[in-house]
Amino acid sequence: MIIALYPGSFDPVTNGHIDIATRASKLFDKIIVGIFATPEKNLMFSLDERVDMARRALGHLPKIEVKPYSNITVEFAREVNADVLVRGLRMIGDFEWEFEMAMMNQMLSPGLETVCFMASQEYQFLSASLIKEVASLGGDISKLVPRHVAEALKKKGIAKIRK
Ligand code: ADP
């Protein structure tokens, strides 16, 4: 049985993340989508909101379980008995960072393999940060995120305008 951990900030989960998790679930026996509590990013959503949105987005996939974590990723991987770390690679920008992370994780936890999935063509230019920016300016992002995520983004946008 091969257990994979797909870690990230998922702020919020997008169709790009769902695509990677779905494809990974065809290769591995169990996928833990690990939602990191405190990434070095400006977060729009709380940990509970990110977990809840990811659970709703991935609930139809029986091999996938969404779990929050706040320790270092390799430690969380040990806790959930993961053999593999899953990451997604978009054409522009991701490679160097993912390579660096994979090398660091290999040093910290030898034997934990990083497997990168090439982003699908339609999601190459999709990132959670761009989604947040476009949504907060009132742009239509409904083709790029599940409906409940689009609604949550809309609510945050309205809350921002009221402030
Ligand atoms: P991001 O802000 O880039 O969405 P995350 O930390 O949530 O950041 O991403 C977790 C993992 O998912 C990373 O490996 C990232 O490269 C990958 N990923 C993010 N968006 C996409 C996408 N559109 N297609 C494929 N992989 C993606």
Side-chain angles (χ1 to χ4, degrees):
M1 165 137 165
I2 300 183
I3 301 177
L5 169 64
Y6 179 25
S9 34
F10 302 96
D11 183 49
V13 66
T14 69
N15 290 350
H17 295 129
I18 297 169
D19 179 58
I20 298 295
T22 307
R23 287 161 58 201
S25 75
K26 289 177 188 153
L27 280 190
F28 304 118
D29 301 296
K30 186 174 170 185
I31 319 290
I32 314 282
V33 173
I35 309 218
F36 185 49
T38 53
E40 285 185 12
K41 286 182 184 176
N42 281 332
L43 292 171
M44 179 177 264
F45 295 99
S46 70
L47 180 60
D48 283 351
E49 288 172 321
R50 286 181 283 140
V51 169
D52 181 58
M53 281 187 284
R55 283 193 177 138
R56 285 179 69 184
L58 297 164
H60 60 291
L61 296 163
K63 286 184 184 175
I64 297 186
E65 203 179 321
V66 177
K67 286 186 172 187
Y69 73 101
S70 48
N71 47 355
I72 188 166
T73 300
V74 290
E75 193 51 51
F76 182 59
R78 256 178 232 129
E79 266 172 44
V80 296
N81 293 317
D83 309 284
V84 168
L85 286 180
V86 163
R87 300 288 289 173
L89 269 190
R90 286 157 294 191
M91 201 164 63
I92 300 165
D94 279 343
F95 180 76
E96 247 177 83
W97 169 245
E98 293 296 340
F99 200 87
E100 243 176 64
M101 284 290 292
M103 293 302 104
M104 179 57 78
N105 287 334
Q106 200 176 72
M107 195 272 295
L108 294 170
S109 186
L112 177 66
E113 295 295 345
T114 298
V115 174
C116 290
F117 285 75
M118 303 305 148
S120 294
Q121 279 192 30
E122 67 257 59
Y123 304 130
Q124 284 292 337
F125 298 97
L126 173 55
S127 71
S129 23
L130 190 55
I131 285 286
K132 285 182 280 189
E133 195 176 331
V134 173
S136 68
L137 293 168
D140 178 14
I141 39 76
S142 56
K143 288 196 183 87
L144 302 171
V145 293
R147 188 193 289 233
H148 66 277
V149 174
E151 276 161 15
L153 280 160
K154 212 172 180 179
K155 270 192 205 147
K156 288 277 175 188
I158 293 166
K160 207 172 151 189
I161 292 163
R162 284 208 186 111
K163 260 187 198 169

